[in-house]
């Protein structure tokens, strides 16, 4: 390696590269500073020093944020490659550590958290007591974005809206059902199409939840609109609203079967194809995840052991949490 190349490598700060990538991904120095837990002034200083080192402007700064210069576009490509290689190196070297220790950052939808993850993560931590799972609950679209931006090692969510260039692996499937108060006219049906529910007021989950987006798209294809009475942010609130006569609602069947508490409710299977959903594991690259994360992926993708099916709940409310 030439002396000039060695000097250049010594002058490039990895922390500055990480902050540069964060600013590019978020389009704002302030947002990057907040995500990386560092003062905005310190981020700005590091970026200015990086520009001075490279002797070229990297960003166009304006009141709405930042845009990349042509040189910035080139650096972003190379910075991501360097940081990706470091992640791969960390994953490989971690296999030589004395025992498997560390943590895995996981973002998941409420559907995955309520229906499947308590048992799966519980079994994993019993097998690997040295690994800590940092689990956060988010909407599916936010889970995908967190993985893309590096805020999470692994995502678990419904991916019907796409994942860009991320990799996916199958995790579980779930089935959406219509929840109605006991004695509702639709209770006489063994199964229905969602179109039949459009005649009634709806209790909808968060407007950006994968379930509500699927409902809205289904209604639009039929040339109908949803008679939305209220948006709620959790399955428990939905059940309470339905029990008290504010409308009907859609949620995963297993989540309803696991419910307990107040509310005289019944579930009716939906015959629409979109009611059959796939929950996926999402990562930038599964092969380069740290050993701890790869062990978790291996555990979550093992065939599920047969379990006693929960008795369908006729009364109850779903566990607290924001919409799927």
């Amino acid at each position: 390696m030439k002396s000039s190349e060695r000097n250049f490598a010594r002058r490039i700060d990895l922390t500055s590269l990480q902050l540069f990538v964060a600013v590019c991904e978020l389009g704002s120095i302030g947002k990057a500073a907040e995500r990386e837990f560092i003062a905005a002034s310190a981020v700005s200083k590091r970026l200015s020093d990086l520009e001075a080192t490279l002797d070229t402007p990297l960003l166009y700064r304006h009141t709405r944020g930042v845009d990349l210069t042509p040189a910035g576009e080139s650096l972003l490509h190379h910075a991501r490659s360097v940081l990706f290689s470091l992640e791969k190196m960390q994953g490989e070297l971690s296999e030589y550590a004395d025992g498997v220790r560390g943590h895995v950052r996981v973002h998941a939808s409420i559907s995955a958290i309520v229906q499947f993850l308590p048992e799966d993560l519980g079994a994993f931590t019993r097998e690997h007591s040295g690994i800590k799972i940092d689990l956060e609950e988010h909407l599916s679209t936010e889970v995908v974005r967190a993985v893309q931006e590096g805020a999470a090692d692994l995502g678990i969510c419904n991916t019907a809206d796409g994942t860009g260039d991320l990799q996916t692996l199958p995790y579980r499937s779930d089935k959406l059902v219509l929840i109605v108060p006991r004695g509702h006219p639709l209770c006489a049906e063994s199964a229905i199409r969602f179109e039949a529910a459009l005649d009634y007021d709806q209790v909808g989950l968060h407007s950006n939840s994968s379930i509500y987006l699927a409902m809205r798209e289904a209604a639009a294809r039929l040339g109908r609109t949803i008679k939305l009475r209220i948006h709620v942010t959790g399955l428990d609130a939905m059940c309470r609203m339905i029990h008290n006569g504010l409308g009907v609602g859609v949620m995963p069947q297993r989540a309803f079967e696991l419910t307990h508490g107040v509310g005289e409710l019944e579930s009716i299977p939906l015959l629409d194809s979109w009611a059959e959903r796939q929950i996926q594991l999402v990562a930038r690259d599964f092969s380069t995840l740290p050993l701890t994360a790869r062990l978790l992926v291996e555990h979550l993708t093992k065939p599920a052991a047969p379990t006693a099916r929960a008795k369908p709940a006729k009364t109850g409310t779903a566990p607290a949490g924001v919409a799927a």
Side-chain angles (χ1 to χ4, degrees):
M1 181 183 290
K2 296 179 181 179
S3 175
S4 60
E5 292 175 343
R6 286 197 299 269
N7 290 337
F8 178 78
R10 289 168 181 165
R11 285 183 287 132
I12 295 297
D13 186 310
L14 286 177
T15 300
S16 295
L17 282 184
Q18 289 176 315
L19 292 173
F20 172 73
V21 171
V23 169
C24 294
E25 289 177 342
L26 297 175
S28 164
I29 291 175
K31 290 180 180 178
E34 183 178 350
R35 192 181 85 180
E36 300 298 324
F37 302 102
I38 186 172
S41 58
V43 176
S44 183
K45 176 66 165 57
R46 281 185 173 273
L47 294 180
S48 296
D49 291 346
L50 188 58
E51 289 176 318
T53 298
L54 299 174
D55 196 25
T56 185
L58 301 172
L59 300 168
Y60 297 118
R61 295 165 173 81
H62 49 76
T63 56
R64 291 171 284 105
V66 298
D67 292 316
L68 287 168
T69 67
E73 293 278 3
S74 178
L75 178 62
L76 178 60
H77 168 75
H78 290 293
R80 280 174 166 161
S81 178
V82 168
L83 296 174
F84 181 79
S85 295
L86 286 172
E87 289 179 4
K88 184 176 182 180
M89 179 178 69
Q90 178 193 22
E92 291 178 356
L93 291 178
S94 67
E95 298 179 13
Y96 297 96
D98 182 19
V100 180
R101 296 185 179 276
H103 74 282
V104 186
R105 301 169 301 162
V106 180
H107 286 201
S109 67
I110 187 63
S111 291
I113 290 175
V114 168
Q115 297 181 94
F116 309 113
L117 287 178
E119 292 79 12
D120 287 348
L121 295 184
F124 178 79
T125 54
R126 287 191 292 274
E127 292 179 13
H128 304 282
S129 59
I131 299 177
K132 176 185 176 184
I133 307 296
D134 295 332
L135 177 64
E136 293 188 20
E137 176 190 303
H138 294 281
L139 297 172
S140 291
T141 53
E142 295 171 355
V143 171
V144 170
R145 183 164 60 249
V147 176
Q148 289 172 330
E149 295 176 353
D153 301 308
L154 184 66
I156 307 174
C157 62
N158 176 270
T159 58
D161 294 326
T163 59
D165 58 356
L166 298 179
Q167 295 181 358
T168 63
L169 287 172
Y171 174 50
R172 298 291 184 87
S173 60
D174 67 5
K175 172 75 174 175
L176 298 179
V177 294
L178 185 73
I179 308 302
V180 300
R182 188 169 299 168
H184 190 276
L186 291 177
C187 287
E189 305 293 334
S190 59
I192 61 168
R193 293 198 173 276
F194 180 62
E195 182 176 11
L198 291 173
D199 294 330
Y200 301 93
D201 288 339
Q202 300 281 327
V203 178
L205 292 172
H206 192 289
S207 59
N208 289 325
S209 69
S210 59
I211 291 178
Y212 186 74
L213 290 175
M215 291 167 57
R216 193 173 64 186
E217 290 172 7
R221 286 194 296 269
L222 294 165
R224 304 279 300 275
T225 57
I226 294 175
K227 296 179 180 179
L228 182 66
R229 189 76 174 271
I230 186 173
H231 271 305
V232 294
T233 56
L235 302 176
D236 59 337
M238 170 183 277
C239 286
R240 292 175 68 86
M241 293 294 180
I242 295 171
H243 169 69
N244 283 284
L246 278 92
V248 300
V250 175
M251 71 165 58
Q253 180 178 12
R254 179 171 168 79
F256 182 68
E257 291 174 347
L258 292 170
T259 60
H260 300 283
V262 300
E264 297 181 351
L265 306 170
E266 296 196 25
S267 66
I268 306 169
L270 291 172
L271 298 171
D272 307 80
S273 59
W274 55 267
E276 296 277 356
R277 307 193 309 163
Q278 299 299 316
I279 298 176
Q280 306 269 11
L281 304 183
V282 183
R284 285 182 172 183
D285 186 334
F286 288 104
S287 67
T288 61
L289 287 173
L291 176 60
T292 51
R294 280 186 279 131
L295 287 172
L296 178 59
V297 169
E298 180 182 351
H299 177 81
L300 294 177
T301 52
K302 289 191 298 188
T307 57
R309 184 176 178 83
K311 184 178 179 180
K314 291 300 181 180
T315 65
T317 58
V322 298

